[in-house]
Amino acid sequence: MRTTLWRSRVARGALAVLASGALALSAAACGGDGDDKDDKDGAQPNATAPGSSDVIPNTVRLPKLNGQKIKVTAVWTGAEQANFTKVLDEFAKRTGASVSYVPSGDDMSAFIGSKVAGGDPPDVALLQQPGALREFAEKGWLKPLSAEATAELRKNFAKGWVDLGSHQGKPYGVYFKASNKSLVWYNTKIFDAAGVKEPATWPELMKTAQAIADYGVSPVSVGGADGWTLTDWFENVYLSQAGPEKYDQLAAHKIKWTDPSVKDALTTLAQLLGKKELLAGGNNGALQTQFPTSVTQTFSGGEKAKAALVYEGDFAAANITAAKAKIGTDAKVFPFPKVGDRAPVVTGGDVGVALKDGQAAQALLTFLASPDAAQVWAHRGGFVSANKNLDLAAYPDDTQRKIAKALVEAGDAFRFDMSDQAPAAFGGKPGQGEWKALQDFLRNPADVAGIQQRLEADAAKAFKN
């Protein structure tokens, strides 16, 4: 089981509690009126197109697709499915296409593989892993982006996102939904009582944590029972300290885990993990704490909570809400403190790809690359876009605007989750590989060299090099 899928399942489960009412499985076509007097090719003009929403801007030209049907799949269910259906509704209104949505389940590769084998793949799928895009492209399952979709993508996204959705230099995908995984959430009541402020650097974080511990509260909550949280801690420290080029090399196992840059990152991380008084429950307690609990124990009880801050991505917001804490007042967020020259931005995301030829699939990908599609979901919450032309005012609150702003301002300097780029045997399974090694590191942060040797042995076996 890959880490992205696990995280997504946690987030979706928590978000489903917040959703109300029945959820539709398809976006029925509303159709346009076909009255395009000034547009002979059928494309809609840039302003107030017939059938488009009054509150969503119309910045992208889409063809008329009356009578055409399109199938779409993603892992989303619950609240996420309901919100994505609204995006498909808008596409249907603008084009006249009939759009149906079917959740794939967590194993997208198996779902797509069975559909391809049966001769009936969906027109568009939203994948969660760069590796899946590369695999599908190599198998010849994917259709390259059209000129229109590529132009819209390059207009609205940094080159790093275009490259992430490409294979061998050819664009295949549009990263419609992103995740900012370089965030620290904190209990405002404890911060105020301890007299501390948001830290911007790693040394400031250590001073803040010590001040909170001196105040009498465990400063940091770590969900060490779920090894993927520890990979995320490492990736943020490593990206900021070693830099993007080294990060790419380590992610592809082009340098060894015994490299001095890994030693530096683990040594830095040990400054925090090596002081049990800085961890809620100490090291043993952290190893027994699962991710959802690491978040809820930071906010349940207000000033009497068990910890003052917790690191994790924007999806932690669902767990904060489950703890009956209000985001923006009880819970606030700051970027992961910079260890090196700049603060890190580690991401996840869902990339839209076409598995069938045809105008409708490419038109949907063109729409998903536009700020129009992003705005449909953004104002409903639970969504972050890397689209640089999406107005931040589209987000429902300052917290989500802050999260999205950091993602966009990273430009090309962001990096996709390292463990999710690795073979599952190394980066994505409980009790083995990186998860197990970093849990052992949490148990004994002084054993930097030993953990490096184990990481390298497991990586070499998984990468087969």
Side-chain angles (χ1 to χ4, degrees):
M1 177 178 61
R2 298 300 301 273
T3 59
T4 299
L5 300 182
W6 197 96
R7 295 182 189 114
S8 183
R9 186 155 58 242
V10 170
R12 293 201 307 273
L15 283 168
V17 175
L18 307 177
S20 61
L23 301 175
L25 288 180
S26 66
C30 297
D33 59 11
D35 186 17
D36 290 320
K37 295 178 181 178
D38 299 323
D39 204 358
K40 295 180 181 179
D41 64 359
Q44 292 193 4
N46 286 340
T48 61
S52 66
S53 167
D54 291 336
V55 297
I56 302 300
N58 194 342
T59 66
V60 61
R61 298 171 65 86
L62 299 173
K64 286 297 184 180
L65 301 170
N66 299 74
Q68 295 193 37
K69 297 181 179 180
I70 182 173
K71 296 178 183 178
V72 181
T73 189
V75 298
W76 299 320
T77 58
E80 288 181 306
Q81 177 181 319
N83 288 331
F84 186 53
T85 295
K86 294 295 185 183
V87 177
L88 298 180
D89 282 340
E90 181 70 14
F91 175 76
K93 290 176 184 178
R94 296 189 183 195
T95 63
S98 177
V99 188
S100 61
Y101 173 80
V102 179
S104 64
D106 279 340
D107 196 341
M108 174 68 78
S109 293
F111 179 85
I112 296 296
S114 66
K115 295 298 183 182
V116 171
D120 187 28
D123 296 87
V124 171
L126 285 105
L127 314 176
Q128 291 188 298
Q129 296 163 330
L133 184 147
R134 291 193 295 268
E135 177 188 346
F136 291 0
E138 289 172 357
K139 289 180 176 179
W141 292 356
L142 301 187
K143 309 303 177 184
L145 293 182
S146 67
E148 292 79 9
T150 300
E152 190 68 18
L153 176 66
R154 288 176 172 161
K155 180 174 71 174
N156 296 314
F157 289 81
K159 182 178 181 295
W161 289 100
V162 178
D163 292 345
L164 193 62
S166 301
H167 180 62
Q168 295 182 344
K170 185 176 294 185
Y172 285 96
V174 174
Y175 271 89
F176 173 62
K177 188 175 188 288
S179 175
N180 184 335
K181 297 172 62 181
S182 297
L183 303 170
V184 180
W185 301 86
Y186 67 97
N187 183 316
T188 57
K189 291 184 175 64
I190 295 177
F191 262 52
D192 289 344
V196 296
K197 298 180 180 180
E198 298 179 2
T201 67
W202 184 264
E204 288 176 5
L205 174 65
M206 296 302 299
K207 290 180 181 178
T208 297
Q210 190 61 58
I212 294 170
D214 293 343
Y215 169 71
V217 176
S218 297
V220 184
S221 180
V222 176
D226 295 315
W228 60 264
T229 65
L230 302 178
T231 71
D232 289 351
W233 270 102
F234 172 81
E235 288 160 9
N236 276 273
V237 170
Y238 189 84
L239 176 58
S240 182
Q241 190 171 48
E245 291 185 7
K246 282 279 191 180
Y247 185 98
D248 292 341
Q249 292 170 357
L250 187 61
H253 200 226
K254 292 182 179 179
I255 58 173
K256 295 183 177 182
W257 284 80
T258 50
D259 190 85
S261 62
V262 177
K263 177 183 178 181
D264 291 344
L266 290 174
T267 301
T268 296
L269 196 50
Q271 295 173 7
L272 172 66
L273 302 184
K275 292 186 176 182
K276 64 180 182 180
E277 69 271 19
L278 300 184
L279 306 180
N283 296 69
N284 289 335
L287 282 164
Q288 298 173 39
T289 302
Q290 294 182 326
F291 163 69
T293 302
S294 73
V295 181
T296 55
Q297 74 178 8
T298 306
F299 299 98
S300 296
E303 192 175 338
K304 296 181 180 180
K306 294 182 179 180
L309 62 86
V310 60
Y311 155 72
E312 254 314 332
D314 53 82
F315 48 82
N319 304 93
I320 294 171
T321 302
K324 302 187 185 305
K326 186 175 180 181
I327 294 173
T329 54
D330 303 321
K332 290 186 178 181
V333 66
F334 58 85
F336 194 98
K338 63 180 180 179
V339 184
D341 293 335
R342 63 182 300 168
V345 177
V346 177
T347 70
D350 300 86
V351 58
V353 296
L355 290 109
K356 282 185 178 179
D357 287 316
Q359 190 180 26
Q362 294 295 336
L364 178 56
L365 292 175
T366 302
F367 182 59
L368 294 181
S370 74
D372 304 13
Q375 183 158 328
V376 175
W377 194 336
H379 78 87
R380 289 176 167 81
F383 174 87
V384 177
S385 174
N387 192 313
K388 63 186 179 183
N389 290 318
L390 173 64
D391 188 347
L392 291 175
Y395 293 98
D397 55 61
D398 287 340
T399 299
Q400 292 185 64
R401 282 189 279 273
K402 188 174 184 179
I403 292 169
K405 183 180 180 182
L407 185 68
V408 171
E409 288 186 345
D412 295 333
F414 78 92
R415 286 299 183 268
F416 205 89
D417 183 287
M418 185 187 294
S419 63
D420 283 340
Q421 297 184 59
F426 178 68
K429 289 191 177 183
Q432 67 183 66
E434 194 177 357
W435 290 24
K436 179 62 164 60
L438 290 179
Q439 285 175 322
D440 289 343
F441 178 62
L442 174 57
R443 186 174 288 108
N444 181 17
D447 187 22
V448 171
I451 295 302
Q452 281 188 272
Q453 293 288 345
R454 189 180 313 173
L455 284 164
E456 175 53 29
D458 290 343
K461 184 177 179 180
F463 280 90
K464 299 179 180 180
N465 62 7

